[in-house]
Amino acid sequence: MPTQHQIRMTKDGSPTLFHTHYNQTYHSVNGALSESQHVFIRTGLAEAARRKSQIVLFEVGFGTGLNALLAYSFAIANNLHIQYLCLEPFPVPHNQLLAFSRQLQLPADLQQVFLRLHAAKNIPVSLGDRFTFTCYEKSLQNYHDRPGTDIVFYDAFSPAVQPEMWTEQALQCVSDMMNDDALLVTYCAKGAVKRILRQLNFVVESLPGANGKREMIRATKKQHP
Ligand SMILES: C[S@@+](CC[C@H](N)C(=O)[O-])C[C@H]1O[C@@H](n2cnc3c(N)ncnc32)[C@H](O)[C@@H]1O
C-alpha cells in the first residue's frame, strides 16, 4: 500500500508531514516549528504554567510528536511537572518518523526523547522526574476516561477535511475531561468552532495566530452556574 505520509519542508525550515488521505499537512506550511511554539507552547502551556506547577495536559492528535517534544523541553526549562496524555488512532509509520526527525536535526538527547515518545503505546512512560507521557492508540470518539485536564492541545485536522472533530459532540467530550478554568488551545479560528465552545460554557479568546495568521483560539472552561 502506498504511504499516506510525505515529508514537506515548511517556510521556517522545519519539516511537517503531508497526509495524502486528508490532503492536508500536520502543521502550517508557513512554519511547523514556529506554529507549534506559538499556538501550543507560548499561548497555551506557558499560560497554564503561570497558574500551576503540576499540569495535566491532553493532546488530541499526537501525530509527529512535535508538540509533545516542545512541551517536554518547556517542562525541563521551566521546572514544571507535566503529565502528558494524548490520542493517536493512526500512528505515523516508524520510517516516516525517522525521516521527519532527521529533517528536524534534533540534538542527540532530544532525539532519544523523540524516539521514546513514539515507542510508548498505551502505557505511561517517565522521561525524568518532570514528564510522564501516555499515548493511547484511540480516537477521541472511543476515549471515555475523564482525566482532570488543565490544558488541551486541540490539534485535529481542520474542520474542512475532518468536520467530525469539530462538532459540539466532539468538543463536549473534551470539555468533560477538563477542570474548571482549564485552557483549550487550537490553531483553528473558525467562527462555528468559537460558537460551539461558547455554548459549552467556555470563554473564548481570539488571539493572533502563528506565522502571520490573523487568529487562533484560546478558550477557558468556566464552571457551570
Ligand atoms: C494536524 S495532525 C496533528 C499534528 C500533531 N499534533 C503534531 O505535532 O504532529 C492531526 C492528528 O489527529 C489524528 N487524528 C485523526 N483522527 C483522530 C481522532 N478521531 N481522534 C484523535 N486523533 C485523531 C491524526 O492521525 C493526526 O495525527
Side-chain angles (χ1 to χ4, degrees):
M1 201 169 84
T3 178
Q4 293 187 312
H5 304 89
Q6 298 165 356
I7 299 274
R8 296 270 167 96
M9 295 311 289
T10 67
K11 283 191 184 155
D12 67 1
S14 63
T16 188
L17 293 179
F18 175 75
H19 198 293
T20 55
H21 171 74
Y22 290 108
N23 196 29
Q24 192 159 90
T25 49
Y26 279 50
H27 309 93
S28 160
V29 292
N30 289 322
L33 190 59
S34 46
E35 179 187 50
S36 284
Q37 278 287 12
H38 176 82
V39 174
F40 297 102
I41 307 300
R42 270 200 300 279
T43 312
L45 184 56
E47 179 58 29
R50 269 192 277 279
R51 306 167 182 192
K52 273 180 132 176
S53 59
Q54 303 219 1
I55 288 177
V56 179
L57 188 163
F58 190 85
E59 180 176 33
V60 178
F62 171 62
T64 64
L66 184 58
N67 292 337
L69 194 65
L70 294 176
Y72 168 84
S73 298
F74 186 89
I76 301 305
N78 294 280
N79 203 18
L80 186 69
H81 288 253
I82 299 183
Q83 184 187 356
Y84 200 106
L85 306 169
C86 57
L87 300 178
E88 183 46 74
F90 310 116
V92 177
H94 192 65
N95 61 338
Q96 294 296 309
L97 288 170
L98 289 181
F100 174 82
S101 71
R102 269 196 298 276
Q103 296 294 340
L104 260 183
Q105 300 182 335
L106 296 170
D109 56 336
L110 278 186
Q111 175 71 7
Q112 282 310 311
V113 172
F114 178 85
L115 293 176
R116 289 193 64 197
L117 292 175
H118 283 284
K121 296 273 164 21
N122 303 307
I123 43 153
V125 172
S126 290
L127 292 159
D129 58 358
R130 284 183 234 155
F131 197 84
T132 56
F133 175 83
T134 317
C135 187
Y136 299 98
E137 274 189 79
K138 282 187 175 182
S139 64
L140 178 62
Q141 293 77 1
N142 288 321
Y143 180 79
H144 303 296
D145 286 358
R146 293 283 173 270
T149 302
D150 300 304
I151 178 162
V152 172
F153 288 180
Y154 205 78
D155 203 9
F157 286 120
S158 75
V161 301
Q162 217 186 1
E164 71 275 17
M165 297 303 289
W166 304 89
T167 60
E168 180 166 350
Q169 203 183 10
L171 292 165
Q172 175 78 65
C173 251
V174 174
S175 170
D176 289 346
M177 297 171 198
M178 297 170 68
N179 293 328
D180 291 337
D181 290 324
L183 300 173
L184 178 151
V185 275
T186 179
Y187 66 88
C188 176
K190 263 196 105 87
V193 174
K194 291 183 201 169
R195 277 193 291 283
I196 292 174
L197 287 169
R198 288 194 188 102
Q199 277 161 22
L200 294 174
N201 217 31
F202 282 82
V203 172
V204 175
E205 294 172 272
S206 298
L207 299 171
N211 301 317
K213 189 174 165 195
R214 202 162 66 86
E215 284 184 1
M216 59 163 278
I217 293 174
R218 181 170 67 193
T220 305
K221 182 179 169 175
K222 284 293 154 206
Q223 227 175 346
H224 272 282

